[in-house]
């Protein structure tokens, strides 16, 4: 298995632009998680899905953030409009269980200027 | 007080040294505990789970002290390749993973 695949690896965008991050989970994993990591706040869970259904989006910072999982093999995290404070590394992870066996993708390093 | 706290370090140790990190958690009802390793500009990867009785995996030993509410990670005979950030993870009573900010380790030749 190729593991969790995220794209793009790096994204530099201007404030106000729309940003879309993509994730392909490991086949057979029922759970997909979106995390954001910064130096100050560490890893923060934004949202997670179970069988393509959003279960907990309480970590989504505000309405500018949205996530979808249209099928078992694809998810997106969208920021519109982006702001400089959104600059961070965004990780997608998948797991066969809600708590154990996480596999992270390589992350998307987002810089909003 | 944060739910999970770690000394950010950095811990600078020579090759071959033994080094230990602690991670404290605030909720005594926390259920499960893990150590993850994260290399610079990479994703976190599970290093080991922490069992009540303590557990060992090669040069790595993890222990849980419920009375004092901390977990520890001991690395013996440290290698250059052990240089990384070590993240403590706690599953709280609401069955959510709470991540520490990590402890940075640099093993020097």
């Amino acid at each position: 298995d190729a593991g969790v695949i995220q794209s793009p690896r790096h994204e530099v965008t201007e404030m106000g632009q729309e940003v879309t991050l993509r994730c392909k989970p490991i086949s057979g994993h029922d759970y997909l998680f979106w995390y954001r990591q910064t130096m100050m706040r560490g890893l923060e869970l934004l949202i997670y899905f179970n069988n393509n259904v959003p279960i907990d989006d309480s970590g989504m910072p505000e309405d500018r953030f949205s996530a979808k999982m249209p099928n078992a093999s694809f998810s997106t995290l969208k920021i519109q409009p982006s702001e400089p404070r959104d600059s961070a590394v965004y990780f997608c992870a998948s797991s066969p269980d809600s708590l154990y066996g996480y596999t992270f993708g390589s992350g998307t390093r987002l810089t909003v200027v | 007080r944060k739910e999970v706290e770690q000394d950010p370090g950095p811990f600078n140790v020579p090759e071959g040294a033994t080094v230990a990190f602690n991670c404290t958690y605030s909720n005594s009802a926390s259920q499960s505990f893990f150590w993850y390793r994260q290399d610079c500009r990479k994703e976190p990867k599970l290093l080991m789970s922490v069992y009540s009785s303590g557990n060992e995996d090669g040069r790595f030993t993890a222990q849980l002290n419920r009375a004092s509410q901390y977990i520890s990670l001991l690395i013996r005979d440290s290698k250059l390749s052990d240089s990384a950030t070590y993240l403590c993870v706690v599953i709280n009573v609401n069955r959510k993973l709470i991540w520490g900010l990590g402890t940075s380790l640099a093993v020097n030749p």
Side-chain angles (χ1 to χ4, degrees), chain A residues 24-95:
Chain A
K24 176 178 167 53
I26 291 174
S27 176
H29 281 189
D30 292 335
Y31 290 84
L32 183 140
F33 307 83
W34 282 101
Y35 277 89
R36 176 171 68 177
Q37 187 176 35
T38 60
M39 290 280 288
M40 292 298 295
R41 300 172 69 92
L43 271 165
E44 300 174 282
L45 177 65
L46 301 176
I47 184 172
Y48 80 92
F49 296 83
N50 180 22
N51 292 322
N52 314 337
V53 176
I55 302 300
D56 183 355
D57 65 355
S58 59
M60 296 286 261
E62 47 199 90
D63 292 346
R64 298 184 298 106
F65 285 69
S66 63
K68 293 182 180 179
M69 191 165 186
N71 57 61
S73 59
F74 184 66
S75 177
T76 59
L77 178 68
K78 188 174 292 187
I79 308 172
Q80 166 63 17
S82 56
E83 297 181 3
R85 61 192 168 121
D86 302 331
S87 298
V89 181
Y90 290 81
F91 287 106
C92 174
S94 71
S95 173

Side-chain angles (χ1 to χ4, degrees), chain B residues 37-91:
Chain B
R37 171 195 169 125
Q38 186 172 23
D39 292 301
C40 188
R41 303 180 83 85
K42 299 279 191 179
E43 72 274 20
K45 293 184 180 177
L46 178 65
L47 179 64
M48 56 198 304
S49 302
V50 186
Y51 302 125
S52 298
S53 55
N55 48 300
E56 192 173 303
D57 182 2
R59 298 182 292 108
F60 297 81
T61 300
Q63 291 194 311
L64 167 63
N65 185 317
R66 282 201 182 271
S68 300
Q69 294 181 209
Y70 73 88
I71 65 171
S72 64
L73 178 67
L74 180 81
I75 306 175
R76 288 180 299 280
D77 188 25
S78 38
K79 313 290 185 192
L80 296 177
S81 57
D82 294 334
S83 298
T85 296
Y86 291 84
L87 301 168
C88 163
V89 184
V90 173
I91 297 178

